[in-house]
Amino acid sequence: MTTLTTQLLRSDEVAQAAQMLQAGQLVAFPTETVYGLGANAKNGEAVAAIYAAKGRPSFNPLIVHVPSLAQAEKLAVFDDDARALADAFWPGPLSLVLPLKDGHGLSSLVTAGLDTVAIRVPAQPLARELLAQAGCPVAAPSANPSGQISPTTAAHVTAGLSGRIDAVIDGGPCTVGVESTIVATNPVRLLRPGGLPVEALEAAVGHALDHDLNPSTPSAPGQLTSHYAPNAAVVLNQLKGALMLGFGSVDGQLNLSASADLREAAANLFAMLRQMDALAKGQDKGEGEGQIHVAPIPMAGLGLAINDRLSRAAAPRSN
Ligand code: TXA
Ligand code: MG
């Protein structure tokens, strides 16, 4: 593909970013979870360009970002559960998979031809401003080359996608640090653990949700394949190692959270995986070629999402 000049926009250049999205260009932007690679979700060519820029092998359905529940209701049908979840958790790190509404106008590439759509109203102020000014629904997967670590800073985005996208707007580091929790309704069920803890969802719906508590078997369908992967191999649930990513009292070169705070650990996860990868690269390639050992992370709250992402990072690589 042709090389683009990727503009780095400041946080006060939202109007320009919004115009670029409207015009069908690819603009990466911050949300509270991770940076998204945005395109006008009604423009099929713009959405196709997302897949090309990321090098995504297949057309997975994408999450559509809107500034409000009112805008979301133009695209999808909300039942009582969906409205209750939206009222409780939007704006925030929750995506809802709902039936498409007649006249939605979305490109069928966004939904990969399904009759449902994943929608989210992000809380990050710059994202909200951008979506409001763009005036179109914005499809956005994480702004990284397919299979690699999700970006939580603008610098992470340019490291992976410079020359392949039109712009990135810099809103500083993401505060949540893992992707949104994805929930389908009728009945309510968890499709992907994420930045909204499952316990909060369960409290809102008033019953337990089906989810797999075993971190070695990720719960989202068809996604046992390698994902979120650094270059170095990743080994989970370790108490020591030459190259150690710690948690709590299990320390290492870096520690996701010395105080064992899962929120802090989620916010640090992807940036620290990148830093560990850089350390692994600098290591002597003699002994066991820079494996990243990761401390055990408890399976509660954001620990579900952290373990899910880590188990994908540790999964066998296809290449
Ligand atoms: O935090 C996030 O969710 C980030 C930021 C940028 O918003 N976005 C993100 O998008 O993680 P993406 O494209 O990486 O995740 C999309 C996932 C798909 O892998 C799929 O599992 C699920 O959302 N999905 C989307 N549409 C769906 C549908 N109609 N039915 C079931 N799952 C769907
Ligand atoms: Mg992703």
Side-chain angles (χ1 to χ4, degrees):
M1 71 193 284
T2 50
T3 304
L4 302 167
T5 303
T6 302
Q7 290 188 56
L8 185 56
L9 301 174
R10 294 186 315 265
S11 58
D12 61 359
E13 295 176 298
V14 179
Q16 189 183 340
Q19 270 169 16
M20 293 175 81
L21 282 172
Q22 274 169 1
Q25 294 190 295
L26 295 186
V27 179
F29 63 98
T31 78
E32 69 274 33
T33 58
V34 300
Y35 274 70
L37 177 55
N40 182 341
K42 295 190 170 182
N43 179 332
E45 284 183 35
V47 176
I50 289 179
Y51 292 101
K54 284 182 62 92
R56 267 208 184 182
S58 61
F59 291 158
N60 303 327
L62 303 175
I63 297 172
V64 173
H65 299 66
V66 292
S68 63
L69 173 58
Q71 293 302 315
E73 285 186 299
K74 295 184 176 170
L75 306 175
V77 181
F78 284 68
D79 63 10
D80 290 346
D81 282 333
R83 194 162 285 107
L85 289 171
D87 283 341
F89 299 116
W90 279 356
L94 171 69
S95 296
L96 292 172
V97 172
L98 302 171
L100 279 165
K101 187 169 186 170
D102 283 347
H104 56 79
L106 298 171
S107 156
S108 59
L109 261 189
V110 171
T111 56
L114 298 172
D115 53 11
T116 54
V117 59
I119 306 187
R120 131 159 228 247
V121 178
Q124 209 273 9
L126 185 59
R128 290 173 66 77
E129 186 59 36
L130 178 64
L131 293 170
Q133 288 195 27
C136 58
V138 173
S142 55
N144 52 278
S146 183
Q148 296 184 18
I149 302 171
S150 297
T152 54
T153 67
H156 294 163
V157 176
T158 49
L161 294 177
S162 189
R164 301 212 229 166
I165 64 177
D166 297 290
V168 52
I169 183 160
D170 189 349
C174 303
T175 54
V176 174
V178 290
E179 290 85 349
S180 61
T181 300
I182 305 180
V183 167
T185 57
N186 194 23
V188 176
R189 56 203 191 276
L190 184 68
L191 299 186
R192 176 178 78 182
L196 181 68
V198 69
E199 293 88 345
L201 278 169
E202 290 176 333
V205 298
H207 57 83
L209 293 181
D210 257 6
H211 59 259
D212 194 331
L213 285 172
N214 179 353
S216 66
T217 55
S219 54
Q223 301 205 349
L224 260 167
T225 46
S226 164
H227 203 150
Y228 307 102
N231 290 311
V234 176
V235 189
L236 304 185
N237 296 314
Q238 301 299 302
L239 296 178
K240 54 183 174 210
L243 209 54
M244 187 73 200
L245 179 57
F247 178 81
S249 58
V250 180
D251 214 359
Q253 279 84 354
L254 297 173
N255 194 319
L256 288 167
S257 171
S259 63
D261 175 344
L262 288 164
R263 278 179 187 256
E264 182 183 25
N268 282 334
L269 177 67
F270 291 136
M272 286 193 174
L273 277 176
R274 286 170 191 265
Q275 289 173 268
M276 294 301 293
D277 209 19
L279 290 176
K281 210 171 172 183
Q283 255 195 354
D284 256 352
K285 292 281 160 85
E287 236 350 71
E289 198 180 315
Q291 287 189 336
I292 302 170
H293 289 226
V294 185
I297 313 288
M299 281 297 274
L302 292 179
L304 265 69
I306 296 170
N307 278 305
D308 173 81
R309 306 307 187 271
L310 282 171
S311 61
R312 292 168 207 265
R317 313 285 165 84
S318 50
N319 50 355

